[in-house]
Amino acid sequence: MALNWFKKLKTGLSKSASKVEGAIASITGKKTIDQETLYDIEDQLILADLGVEVSGRIAKKIKDQKFELNKNKGIEKTQIAKTLAEEIEQILLPREQNLYEKVNSKPHVLLLAGVNGSGKTTTAAKIAEKFRLEKKSVVLAASDTFRAAAVEQLKTWGKRVGARVVSGEEGGDSAAVAFRAFELAKKEDIDIVIIDTAGRLQNKKDLMEELTKTCRVVSKLDHDAPHQKVVVLDGTVGQNAHSQLKSFDESIGLTGMIITKLDGSAKGGVVVSLAEKFEIPIHAVGVGEGLDDLQIFEASSFSRALAGLD
Amino acid sequence: MFENLTNKLGNVFKGLTKRGALSESDVENALKEVRTALLEADVALSVVREFIDKVKVRAVGEEVLRSVTPGQQVIKIVNDVLIEVLGSSESELLIDHAPPAVILLVGLQGSGKTTTAGKLAFHLKSKKRKKVMLASLDIYRPAAREQLRILGEQAEVLVLPEIDGESPEKITKRAMAASKVQAIDVLILDTAGRTTLDTAMMSEAKEVFKLSKPSETLLVADSMTGQDAVQTAKAFSELIKISGVVLTRSDGDARGGAALSMRSVTGCPIKFVGVSEKLDGLEPFYPDRAAGRILDMGDVVSLVEKAAETIAEEDAAQMMKRMSQGSFDMNDMLKQIGQLKKMGGLGGIMSMLPGIGKLQKQMAANNFNDKAISKQEAIIYSMTKKERVNVSLLNASRRKRIASGSGTAVSDVNRLVKQQQDMARMMKKMGKMGGLGGLKNMMSSLEGASPNPGLGDGQNSVMDANKMAELQKMMGGNMPNLGNMANRFGGMGLPGLGGKPSKKRR
């Protein structure tokens, strides 16, 4: 299982890895790392969406590193890749946290938020599937009452993963839907409530307030609910991820994040700079459209994959 | 969408314009900062490199460094290069050949294809008077076809009925046949989201492309995309011929880097930007105006167009007549508030005006926002018909009643009354000068002042100061501080802004 997911992640990250590898290849065989090469590494890290600041710092660390020279008195490629992976892992490690470990109340309420099209509904289904495999009962709250056919989308998933779906009418009150789902879970002894909220851009103040309201309303049934408030970030997103994380955290107080769509050519490197700036745990990564394609986030595997190591 | 980038660049340029003479290293340093600003805005690295190189070549020429205003010159060069990168002119959709013209929408998952399909259908139907049909080829995402059907119903266009178990290729053929039979002008094909690494899905896209021979193949991309934007655009355009780009979610706070990258990588123009979740939230993209916005030179042209679109001709004429007679009462004010709201509220207008970045912050600090305007509206609504026409009726007890009726304080009511009187006075003055009145006219006078900031003459690129001074004079000289946009607005007959307490006012 562990190997399997690493392979998937690796394929997913292959594009970004090859970028970083490219950077590494450019210094391989040289005796020292000159300024030009350093800029190259930095540029390649920027291309992986690590951001200007973090890229600069990591590149500098690699420069300061004393590398052992090989037979031909050149620097070995894998050495650099290893250093790179270690640097990235150091940043990511404190943020590693299993999404499912935090489930300790019943019913446990998990709220998913994020901008439009980041993959909340698909992620909700994937999480529900995981709980189903653990023999836990799940109710899905279709709190996206705005987008056309959003409810139908979740209902279809609900059927596939054997979860009940609570929905309201289109344009209705999304907080009410979440509340009713929680109520139902309490009454019928259901283990997990997953609230799938509507996508919203983080600079839309009213919509962000709606999200705060949903949390507030849900907390009326249980002071600690929603127990988990997770933001879903699109892996193709660039530096705007910072703004997204900040705004969602400010409005509802995030307990974690999930990065989706890492199976494309997206680099997901923004995770590294996010991990540095925010003390928000990273729970999982989405690496495909299949129900089992949501993988627990592991800092070491992610870093190694990003640096192009096997 | 460009605010952040605008602020960053603004700071760099401030450093430049402050100095009388510029050395090569000054320019070099400034460009380094520009580079960082662009990268932080997610402009693709290759594009940033090209951009900086272009600017450098032009900026270090002796002409620039020796000119009287080297800073301005550099800004002009950056502006010119920005426009080049963004594409130099707006390009319309090519859909006028033998019907049905096919528009194919492709892109990554969650980039906004289906919503864009609905918006595009609405745009073509309402603005171009085309008979449109929508068809969804997304047989993978649950309820994707349902979503398109609902959007089609909202836009009141035809949607190809679903048949379960059909392949995208088959649906394409059926859609083409149905469009011919029903004399459809434009057929919009909404495809499933796909990553460019998924070879099976990419070859499906290719097959659909071959079958439908689209007149337009639009890549739908998220404005918030990072460096990967380039990969995606490249991969799609290598496989099928992309003819244009639609940039979605540009109403977010993304820094617009993708906009800069897309054009340059695909060589295709950005044809539309998505600006809201609503059906009418799709706007044509104008490169020169976008460049203006990035450099905080404003987009006065769009503003004027928007004004023209929203404000009925008769309304404007009538208001002009009333104004020239000096009768500007609460009803007129109410009307103006309504127009302001229709034009996208304060935020919408502000984003199109030059030099506004800083002011926006100031206004936010003073709690000056659309809410304040709604408040003013509420106050007027709480007045009786007589009061609205004759403000002098408003004695203390009436004001108290209005305040409690509108949920505001008496001081709010007082402020509004004072503002209305100020405006009426100014209108009268302007009326005497003849001709100038009504929001529309004022807008067009502003347009005359600066049709395309930064492009007209190389010498004074940010905003033609002379023209602005002229404009100020026309306004009756009642605006001591031109920089104070709030007053400028007040003077121009837009409600709500004059109410901001201003010490500088005479």
Side-chain angles (χ1 to χ4, degrees), chain A residues 15 19 43 46-47 49 52 115-117 146-149 152-153 156-157 160 199 201-204 207 236-240 243-244 261 263-267 289, chain B residues 35-36 39-40 42 45 49 108-110 140-143 146-147 150-151 154 193 195-198 222 224-228 231-232 249 251-255 277 371:
Chain A
K15 270 280 159 133
K19 278 272 153 54
D43 280 355
I46 288 173
L47 277 178
D49 277 324
V52 182
V115 298
N116 317 63
F146 180 80
R147 206 200 70 198
E152 282 74 11
Q153 188 182 348
T156 311
W157 279 121
R160 287 190 203 166
L201 292 175
Q202 70 274 19
N203 61 338
K204 303 272 181 260
L207 294 178
T236 59
V237 73
Q239 302 309 307
N240 188 252
S243 158
Q244 290 179 25
K261 301 185 209 171
D263 51 330
S265 53
K267 292 145 202 87
E289 289 181 284
Chain B
R35 175 183 180 271
T36 308
L39 283 174
E40 280 177 355
D42 287 323
L45 187 63
R49 279 201 199 116
L108 299 177
Q109 287 97 339
Y140 309 97
R141 182 167 64 96
E146 176 103 19
Q147 186 186 353
I150 295 171
L151 288 171
Q154 286 170 0
T195 72
T196 51
L197 300 182
D198 190 334
D222 189 332
M224 299 183 284
T225 330
Q227 296 288 334
D228 189 54
Q231 293 293 332
T232 309
R249 293 178 205 126
D251 51 334
D253 63 355
R255 302 183 193 172
E277 296 185 64
K371 248 189 195 149

Coordinates of all heavy atoms in Angstrom, one line a residue, chain A residues 15 19 43 46-47 49 52 115-117 146-149 152-153 156-157 160 199 201-204 207 236-240 243-244 261 263-267 289, chain B residues 35-36 39-40 42 45 49 108-110 140-143 146-147 150-151 154 193 195-198 222 224-228 231-232 249 251-255 277 371:
Chain A
K15 N 6.5 15.4 -13.4 CA 6.8 16.6 -14.2 C 7.6 17.5 -13.3 O 8.6 18.1 -13.8 CB 5.5 17.3 -14.7 CG 5.1 16.8 -16.0 CD 5.9 17.5 -17.1 CE 5.8 16.6 -18.4 NZ 5.5 17.3 -19.6
K19 N 11.7 18.7 -13.6 CA 12.2 20.0 -13.5 C 13.3 20.2 -12.6 O 14.4 20.7 -12.9 CB 11.1 21.0 -13.1 CG 10.1 21.3 -14.1 CD 10.6 22.6 -14.9 CE 10.1 22.6 -16.3 NZ 8.6 22.5 -16.4
D43 N 15.9 29.1 -10.4 CA 14.9 29.2 -11.4 C 14.1 27.9 -11.5 O 12.8 28.0 -11.6 CB 15.5 29.5 -12.8 CG 15.9 30.9 -12.9 OD1 15.6 31.7 -12.0 OD2 16.5 31.3 -13.9
I46 N 11.7 27.8 -8.7 CA 10.6 28.7 -9.0 C 9.6 28.1 -9.9 O 8.4 28.1 -9.7 CB 11.1 30.0 -9.5 CG1 11.9 30.8 -8.5 CG2 10.0 30.9 -10.1 CD1 12.6 32.0 -8.9
L47 N 10.1 27.4 -10.9 CA 9.2 26.7 -11.9 C 8.4 25.7 -11.2 O 7.3 25.3 -11.7 CB 10.1 26.1 -13.0 CG 10.5 27.0 -14.1 CD1 11.4 26.3 -15.1 CD2 9.3 27.6 -14.8
D49 N 7.0 26.1 -8.6 CA 6.1 26.9 -7.7 C 6.5 27.0 -6.3 O 5.6 27.2 -5.4 CB 4.6 26.3 -7.8 CG 3.9 26.8 -9.0 OD1 4.1 28.0 -9.4 OD2 3.1 26.0 -9.6
V52 N 9.6 32.6 -4.9 CA 10.9 33.2 -5.1 C 11.8 33.1 -3.8 O 12.9 32.7 -3.9 CB 10.7 34.7 -5.4 CG1 12.1 35.4 -5.7 CG2 9.8 34.9 -6.7
V115 N -11.7 27.3 -2.9 CA -12.2 28.2 -4.0 C -12.9 27.3 -5.0 O -12.8 26.0 -4.9 CB -11.0 28.9 -4.7 CG1 -10.4 29.9 -3.7 CG2 -10.0 28.0 -5.3
N116 N -13.6 27.9 -6.0 CA -14.3 27.1 -7.0 C -13.4 26.2 -7.8 O -12.3 26.6 -8.1 CB -15.0 28.1 -8.0 CG -15.6 29.2 -7.3 OD1 -14.9 30.0 -6.7 ND2 -16.9 29.3 -7.4
G117 N -13.8 25.0 -8.0 CA -13.1 24.1 -8.9 C -11.8 23.5 -8.2 O -11.0 23.0 -9.0
F146 N -25.5 26.7 -4.4 CA -25.4 27.7 -5.4 C -25.2 27.2 -6.8 O -25.9 27.4 -7.7 CB -24.4 28.7 -5.1 CG -24.2 29.8 -6.1 CD1 -25.1 30.9 -6.1 CD2 -23.3 29.8 -7.1 CE1 -25.1 31.9 -7.0 CE2 -23.2 30.8 -8.0 CZ -24.1 31.8 -8.0
R147 N -24.1 26.4 -7.0 CA -23.7 26.0 -8.3 C -24.7 25.0 -8.9 O -25.2 24.1 -8.2 CB -22.3 25.3 -8.3 CG -21.6 25.4 -9.6 CD -20.5 24.4 -9.7 NE -21.1 23.0 -9.8 CZ -20.4 22.0 -9.6 NH1 -19.1 22.0 -9.2 NH2 -20.9 20.8 -9.8
A148 N -25.0 25.1 -10.2 CA -25.9 24.3 -10.8 C -25.5 22.8 -10.7 O -24.3 22.5 -11.0 CB -26.1 24.7 -12.3
A149 N -26.3 21.9 -10.4 CA -26.1 20.5 -10.3 C -25.0 20.0 -9.3 O -24.6 18.9 -9.4 CB -25.8 20.0 -11.7
E152 N -26.6 17.2 -7.3 CA -26.6 16.0 -8.1 C -25.3 15.3 -8.1 O -25.1 14.1 -8.0 CB -27.1 16.2 -9.5 CG -28.6 16.4 -9.7 CD -29.0 17.8 -9.2 OE1 -28.1 18.6 -8.9 OE2 -30.2 18.0 -9.0
Q153 N -24.2 16.1 -8.3 CA -22.9 15.6 -8.3 C -22.6 14.8 -7.0 O -22.1 13.7 -7.0 CB -21.9 16.7 -8.5 CG -20.4 16.2 -8.8 CD -19.5 17.4 -8.9 OE1 -19.9 18.5 -9.1 NE2 -18.2 17.1 -8.9
T156 N -24.6 11.6 -6.7 CA -24.1 10.5 -7.5 C -22.9 9.8 -6.7 O -22.8 8.6 -6.6 CB -23.5 11.0 -8.9 OG1 -24.5 11.8 -9.4 CG2 -23.2 9.8 -9.8
W157 N -22.0 10.7 -6.2 CA -20.9 10.1 -5.4 C -21.5 9.4 -4.2 O -21.0 8.3 -3.8 CB -20.0 11.2 -4.9 CG -19.0 11.7 -5.9 CD1 -18.9 13.0 -6.4 CD2 -18.0 11.0 -6.6 NE1 -17.9 13.1 -7.3 CE2 -17.3 11.8 -7.4 CE3 -17.6 9.6 -6.5 CZ2 -16.2 11.4 -8.2 CZ3 -16.5 9.2 -7.3 CH2 -15.9 10.1 -8.1
R160 N -22.3 6.0 -5.0 CA -21.2 5.1 -5.2 C -20.5 4.7 -3.9 O -19.9 3.6 -3.9 CB -20.1 5.9 -6.1 CG -20.6 6.0 -7.5 CD -19.5 6.5 -8.4 NE -20.1 7.1 -9.6 CZ -19.4 7.8 -10.5 NH1 -18.1 8.1 -10.3 NH2 -20.0 8.3 -11.5
G199 N -17.9 26.4 -3.6 CA -16.6 27.0 -3.9 C -16.8 28.5 -3.7 O -17.9 29.1 -4.1
L201 N -14.4 32.3 -3.9 CA -13.1 33.0 -4.0 C -12.9 33.7 -2.6 O -13.8 34.3 -2.1 CB -13.1 34.0 -5.1 CG -13.2 33.4 -6.5 CD1 -13.3 34.5 -7.6 CD2 -12.0 32.6 -6.8
Q202 N -11.6 33.7 -2.2 CA -11.3 34.1 -0.8 C -11.4 35.6 -0.6 O -11.5 36.1 0.5 CB -9.9 33.6 -0.5 CG -8.8 34.3 -1.2 CD -8.4 33.7 -2.5 OE1 -9.2 33.0 -3.1 NE2 -7.2 34.0 -3.0
N203 N -11.6 36.4 -1.7 CA -11.7 37.8 -1.5 C -13.2 38.3 -1.6 O -13.4 39.5 -1.5 CB -10.9 38.6 -2.6 CG -11.3 38.3 -4.0 OD1 -12.0 37.2 -4.2 ND2 -11.1 39.1 -4.9
K204 N -14.1 37.3 -1.7 CA -15.5 37.7 -1.6 C -15.9 37.6 -0.2 O -16.2 36.6 0.4 CB -16.3 36.7 -2.4 CG -15.9 36.6 -3.9 CD -16.6 37.7 -4.7 CE -16.1 37.6 -6.2 NZ -15.2 38.6 -6.6
L207 N -19.3 35.9 0.9 CA -19.3 34.5 0.8 C -18.5 33.9 1.9 O -18.8 32.8 2.4 CB -18.8 34.0 -0.6 CG -19.7 34.4 -1.8 CD1 -19.0 34.0 -3.1 CD2 -21.0 33.8 -1.6
T236 N -2.6 22.9 -8.9 CA -2.0 23.7 -10.0 C -1.9 25.1 -9.6 O -1.4 26.0 -10.4 CB -2.9 23.6 -11.3 OG1 -4.2 24.1 -11.0 CG2 -3.0 22.2 -11.8
V237 N -2.4 25.5 -8.4 CA -2.4 26.9 -8.0 C -1.0 27.3 -7.8 O -0.1 26.6 -7.4 CB -3.3 27.0 -6.8 CG1 -2.6 26.5 -5.5 CG2 -3.6 28.5 -6.5
G238 N -0.8 28.6 -8.0 CA 0.5 29.2 -7.8 C 0.6 29.9 -6.5 O 0.0 29.4 -5.5
Q239 N 1.2 31.0 -6.5 CA 1.4 31.7 -5.2 C 0.1 32.2 -4.6 O 0.0 32.6 -3.4 CB 2.4 32.9 -5.4 CG 3.7 32.5 -5.9 CD 4.3 31.4 -5.1 OE1 4.5 31.4 -3.9 NE2 4.7 30.3 -5.8
N240 N -1.0 32.2 -5.4 CA -2.3 32.6 -4.8 C -2.7 31.7 -3.7 O -3.6 32.0 -2.9 CB -3.3 32.6 -5.9 CG -4.6 33.3 -5.4 OD1 -5.6 32.6 -5.3 ND2 -4.6 34.6 -5.2
S243 N -2.7 33.4 -0.4 CA -3.8 34.2 -0.1 C -5.0 33.4 0.3 O -5.8 33.7 1.2 CB -4.1 35.1 -1.3 OG -5.4 35.5 -1.3
Q244 N -5.2 32.2 -0.4 CA -6.4 31.4 -0.1 C -6.3 30.8 1.3 O -7.2 30.9 2.1 CB -6.4 30.2 -1.1 CG -6.8 30.6 -2.5 CD -6.8 29.4 -3.5 OE1 -6.9 28.3 -3.1 NE2 -6.5 29.7 -4.7
K261 N -5.2 17.3 -7.3 CA -4.8 17.3 -8.7 C -3.3 17.3 -8.9 O -2.8 18.0 -9.8 CB -5.4 18.6 -9.4 CG -6.9 18.6 -9.3 CD -7.4 19.8 -10.1 CE -8.7 20.3 -9.5 NZ -9.2 21.5 -10.0
D263 N -1.9 14.8 -10.0 CA -1.6 13.8 -11.0 C -1.3 14.5 -12.4 O -1.0 13.8 -13.4 CB -2.7 12.8 -11.1 CG -4.1 13.5 -11.3 OD1 -4.2 14.6 -10.8 OD2 -5.0 12.9 -11.9
G264 N -1.5 15.7 -12.5 CA -1.2 16.4 -13.8 C 0.2 16.9 -13.8 O 1.1 16.3 -13.1
S265 N 0.5 17.9 -14.7 CA 1.8 18.4 -14.7 C 2.1 19.4 -13.6 O 3.1 20.0 -13.6 CB 2.1 19.0 -16.1 OG 1.1 19.9 -16.4
A266 N 1.1 19.5 -12.8 CA 1.2 20.5 -11.7 C 2.3 20.1 -10.7 O 2.5 18.9 -10.6 CB -0.1 20.7 -11.0
K267 N 2.9 21.1 -10.1 CA 4.1 20.8 -9.4 C 3.8 20.7 -7.9 O 4.5 19.9 -7.1 CB 5.2 21.8 -9.6 CG 5.7 21.7 -11.0 CD 6.0 23.1 -11.6 CE 6.0 23.1 -13.1 NZ 4.7 23.3 -13.6
E289 N -8.4 10.6 -10.2 CA -9.8 10.7 -10.2 C -10.5 9.6 -9.5 O -11.7 9.6 -9.2 CB -10.4 11.0 -11.6 CG -10.0 12.3 -12.1 CD -10.6 12.6 -13.5 OE1 -10.0 12.1 -14.5 OE2 -11.6 13.4 -13.6
Chain B
R35 N 11.2 41.7 -11.8 CA 11.3 40.3 -12.0 C 10.6 39.5 -10.9 O 9.8 38.7 -11.0 CB 12.7 39.9 -12.2 CG 13.0 38.4 -12.3 CD 14.5 38.0 -12.4 NE 14.7 36.6 -12.5 CZ 14.8 35.8 -11.5 NH1 14.7 36.3 -10.3 NH2 15.0 34.5 -11.7
T36 N 11.0 39.9 -9.6 CA 10.5 39.2 -8.5 C 9.0 39.5 -8.4 O 8.2 38.5 -8.1 CB 11.1 39.8 -7.2 OG1 12.5 39.7 -7.3 CG2 10.7 39.0 -6.0
L39 N 7.3 37.2 -10.9 CA 7.4 35.8 -10.5 C 6.4 35.5 -9.3 O 5.7 34.5 -9.3 CB 8.8 35.4 -10.0 CG 9.8 35.2 -11.2 CD1 11.2 34.9 -10.7 CD2 9.3 34.0 -12.1
E40 N 6.3 36.5 -8.4 CA 5.4 36.3 -7.3 C 3.9 36.4 -7.8 O 3.0 35.9 -7.1 CB 5.6 37.4 -6.2 CG 6.8 37.0 -5.3 CD 7.1 38.0 -4.3 OE1 6.5 39.1 -4.3 OE2 8.0 37.8 -3.5
D42 N 3.1 34.8 -10.3 CA 2.9 33.6 -11.1 C 3.0 33.8 -12.6 O 2.5 33.0 -13.3 CB 1.6 32.9 -10.7 CG 1.6 32.3 -9.4 OD1 2.6 31.8 -9.0 OD2 0.5 32.3 -8.7
L45 N 8.2 31.7 -15.7 CA 9.6 32.1 -15.7 C 10.1 32.5 -17.1 O 10.7 33.5 -17.3 CB 10.4 31.0 -15.1 CG 11.9 31.4 -14.9 CD1 12.0 32.5 -13.9 CD2 12.6 30.1 -14.4
R49 N 11.6 36.2 -18.2 CA 12.9 36.4 -18.8 C 12.8 37.2 -20.1 O 13.4 38.2 -20.2 CB 13.5 35.1 -19.1 CG 14.2 34.4 -17.9 CD 15.2 33.4 -18.4 NE 15.5 32.5 -17.3 CZ 15.2 31.2 -17.4 NH1 14.7 30.6 -18.5 NH2 15.5 30.4 -16.4
L108 N -8.1 22.0 -17.9 CA -7.9 21.1 -16.8 C -9.2 20.9 -16.0 O -10.1 21.7 -16.2 CB -6.8 21.6 -15.8 CG -5.4 21.9 -16.4 CD1 -4.6 22.5 -15.3 CD2 -4.8 20.5 -16.8
Q109 N -9.2 19.9 -15.1 CA -10.4 19.8 -14.2 C -10.5 21.0 -13.4 O -9.5 21.6 -12.9 CB -10.2 18.6 -13.3 CG -10.4 17.2 -13.9 CD -9.0 16.6 -14.3 OE1 -8.0 17.4 -14.4 NE2 -9.0 15.3 -14.5
G110 N -11.8 21.4 -13.2 CA -12.0 22.5 -12.3 C -11.6 23.9 -12.8 O -11.4 24.8 -12.0
Y140 N -17.8 11.8 -17.7 CA -17.0 11.3 -16.6 C -17.4 11.9 -15.3 O -17.8 11.2 -14.3 CB -15.5 11.5 -16.8 CG -15.1 11.0 -18.1 CD1 -14.9 11.9 -19.2 CD2 -14.8 9.6 -18.3 CE1 -14.5 11.4 -20.5 CE2 -14.4 9.2 -19.6 CZ -14.2 10.1 -20.6 OH -13.9 9.6 -21.9
R141 N -17.4 13.2 -15.2 CA -17.7 13.9 -13.9 C -19.2 13.7 -13.6 O -20.0 14.1 -14.4 CB -17.3 15.4 -13.9 CG -17.6 16.1 -12.6 CD -16.9 17.4 -12.5 NE -17.5 18.3 -13.5 CZ -18.4 19.2 -13.2 NH1 -18.9 19.3 -12.0 NH2 -18.9 20.0 -14.2
P142 N -19.5 13.3 -12.4 CA -20.9 13.1 -12.1 C -21.7 14.4 -12.2 O -21.2 15.5 -11.7 CB -20.9 12.7 -10.6 CG -19.5 12.1 -10.4 CD -18.6 12.8 -11.3
A143 N -22.8 14.4 -12.8 CA -23.7 15.5 -12.9 C -23.2 16.7 -13.7 O -23.7 17.8 -13.7 CB -24.2 16.0 -11.6
E146 N -25.8 17.5 -16.3 CA -26.9 18.1 -15.6 C -26.6 19.6 -15.4 O -27.5 20.4 -15.6 CB -27.1 17.4 -14.3 CG -28.1 18.0 -13.4 CD -29.4 17.1 -13.4 OE1 -29.3 15.9 -13.8 OE2 -30.4 17.6 -13.0
Q147 N -25.4 19.8 -15.0 CA -25.0 21.2 -14.7 C -25.1 22.1 -16.0 O -25.7 23.2 -15.9 CB -23.6 21.2 -14.2 CG -23.1 22.6 -13.8 CD -21.6 22.6 -13.4 OE1 -20.9 21.6 -13.4 NE2 -21.0 23.8 -13.2
I150 N -28.8 22.8 -16.8 CA -29.4 23.9 -16.0 C -28.9 25.2 -16.4 O -29.6 26.2 -16.6 CB -29.0 23.6 -14.5 CG1 -29.7 22.3 -14.0 CG2 -29.5 24.8 -13.6 CD1 -29.2 21.9 -12.6
L151 N -27.6 25.3 -16.7 CA -27.0 26.6 -17.2 C -27.7 27.0 -18.5 O -28.0 28.2 -18.7 CB -25.5 26.5 -17.3 CG -24.7 26.4 -16.0 CD1 -23.3 26.1 -16.3 CD2 -24.8 27.8 -15.3
Q154 N -31.0 28.4 -17.9 CA -30.9 29.8 -17.3 C -30.6 30.8 -18.4 O -31.1 31.9 -18.5 CB -29.8 29.8 -16.3 CG -30.2 29.2 -14.9 CD -29.1 29.0 -14.0 OE1 -27.9 29.4 -14.3 NE2 -29.4 28.5 -12.8
G193 N -12.9 17.8 -18.1 CA -11.5 18.3 -17.7 C -10.5 17.2 -17.8 O -10.9 16.0 -17.6
T195 N -6.1 16.2 -17.5 CA -4.7 16.7 -17.3 C -4.0 16.4 -18.6 O -4.4 15.4 -19.3 CB -4.0 15.9 -16.2 OG1 -3.7 14.6 -16.6 CG2 -4.8 15.9 -14.9
T196 N -3.0 17.1 -18.9 CA -2.3 17.0 -20.2 C -1.5 15.7 -20.2 O -1.0 15.3 -21.2 CB -1.4 18.2 -20.4 OG1 -0.6 18.4 -19.3 CG2 -2.3 19.4 -20.7
L197 N -1.2 15.1 -19.0 CA -0.4 13.9 -19.0 C -1.3 12.6 -19.3 O -0.7 11.6 -19.6 CB 0.2 13.7 -17.6 CG 1.1 14.8 -17.1 CD1 1.7 14.5 -15.8 CD2 2.2 15.0 -18.1
D198 N -2.6 12.8 -19.3 CA -3.5 11.7 -19.5 C -3.6 11.4 -21.0 O -4.4 12.1 -21.6 CB -4.8 12.0 -18.8 CG -5.7 10.8 -18.8 OD1 -5.5 9.9 -19.7 OD2 -6.6 10.7 -17.9
D222 N -7.6 28.8 -15.3 CA -7.8 29.4 -14.0 C -6.8 30.6 -13.8 O -5.6 30.3 -14.0 CB -7.6 28.4 -12.9 CG -8.0 28.9 -11.6 OD1 -7.9 30.1 -11.3 OD2 -8.5 28.1 -10.7
M224 N -5.7 31.7 -11.3 CA -4.8 31.4 -10.1 C -3.7 30.4 -10.4 O -3.0 30.1 -9.5 CB -5.7 31.0 -9.0 CG -6.7 32.0 -8.6 SD -7.7 31.6 -7.2 CE -8.8 30.4 -7.8
T225 N -3.7 29.9 -11.6 CA -2.7 28.9 -11.9 C -1.3 29.4 -11.7 O -1.0 30.5 -11.9 CB -2.8 28.4 -13.4 OG1 -4.1 28.5 -13.8 CG2 -2.3 27.0 -13.5
G226 N -0.4 28.5 -11.2 CA 1.0 28.9 -11.0 C 1.8 28.7 -12.3 O 1.3 28.8 -13.4
Q227 N 3.1 28.3 -12.1 CA 4.0 28.1 -13.2 C 3.5 27.1 -14.2 O 3.9 27.0 -15.3 CB 5.4 27.8 -12.6 CG 6.0 28.9 -11.8 CD 6.5 30.0 -12.6 OE1 6.8 29.9 -13.8 NE2 6.5 31.2 -12.0
D228 N 2.6 26.2 -13.7 CA 2.2 25.1 -14.6 C 1.3 25.6 -15.7 O 1.1 24.9 -16.7 CB 1.4 24.1 -13.7 CG 1.0 22.9 -14.5 OD1 2.0 22.3 -15.0 OD2 -0.1 22.5 -14.5
Q231 N 2.9 24.9 -19.0 CA 2.9 23.5 -19.4 C 1.6 23.1 -20.0 O 1.5 22.5 -21.0 CB 3.1 22.6 -18.1 CG 4.5 22.7 -17.5 CD 5.5 22.2 -18.4 OE1 5.3 21.3 -19.2 NE2 6.7 22.7 -18.3
T232 N 0.5 23.5 -19.3 CA -0.8 23.1 -19.7 C -1.1 23.7 -21.1 O -1.5 23.1 -22.0 CB -1.9 23.7 -18.7 OG1 -1.5 23.2 -17.4 CG2 -3.3 23.2 -19.0
R249 N -12.1 33.2 -13.2 CA -11.9 33.6 -11.8 C -11.0 34.8 -11.7 O -10.2 34.9 -10.7 CB -11.3 32.5 -10.9 CG -12.4 31.4 -10.8 CD -11.9 30.2 -10.0 NE -12.7 29.2 -10.5 CZ -12.3 28.0 -10.9 NH1 -11.0 27.8 -10.9 NH2 -13.1 27.1 -11.4
D251 N -11.9 37.6 -10.9 CA -12.4 38.4 -9.9 C -11.8 38.0 -8.5 O -12.1 38.6 -7.5 CB -13.9 38.4 -9.8 CG -14.5 37.0 -9.8 OD1 -13.8 36.1 -10.2 OD2 -15.6 36.8 -9.2
G252 N -11.0 37.0 -8.5 CA -10.3 36.7 -7.3 C -9.1 37.6 -7.0 O -9.0 38.6 -7.7
D253 N -8.3 37.3 -6.1 CA -7.2 38.2 -5.9 C -5.9 37.7 -6.4 O -4.8 38.1 -6.0 CB -7.0 38.6 -4.4 CG -6.7 37.4 -3.5 OD1 -6.7 36.3 -4.1 OD2 -6.5 37.6 -2.3
A254 N -6.0 36.8 -7.4 CA -4.8 36.3 -8.1 C -4.1 37.5 -8.7 O -4.8 38.5 -9.1 CB -5.1 35.2 -9.1
R255 N -2.8 37.4 -8.9 CA -2.1 38.5 -9.4 C -2.0 38.6 -11.0 O -1.3 39.4 -11.5 CB -0.7 38.6 -8.8 CG -0.8 38.6 -7.3 CD 0.5 38.7 -6.6 NE 0.3 38.4 -5.2 CZ 1.3 38.3 -4.4 NH1 2.6 38.4 -4.8 NH2 1.1 38.0 -3.1
E277 N -19.7 34.5 -10.6 CA -20.3 33.2 -10.8 C -21.6 33.3 -11.5 O -22.2 32.3 -11.8 CB -20.5 32.6 -9.4 CG -19.2 32.4 -8.6 CD -19.5 31.7 -7.3 OE1 -20.0 30.5 -7.3 OE2 -19.2 32.3 -6.2
K371 N -21.3 49.5 1.2 CA -22.3 49.5 2.3 C -22.7 50.9 2.6 O -23.9 51.2 2.9 CB -21.7 48.8 3.5 CG -22.4 47.5 3.8 CD -21.9 46.9 5.1 CE -22.4 45.4 5.1 NZ -21.5 44.5 5.8

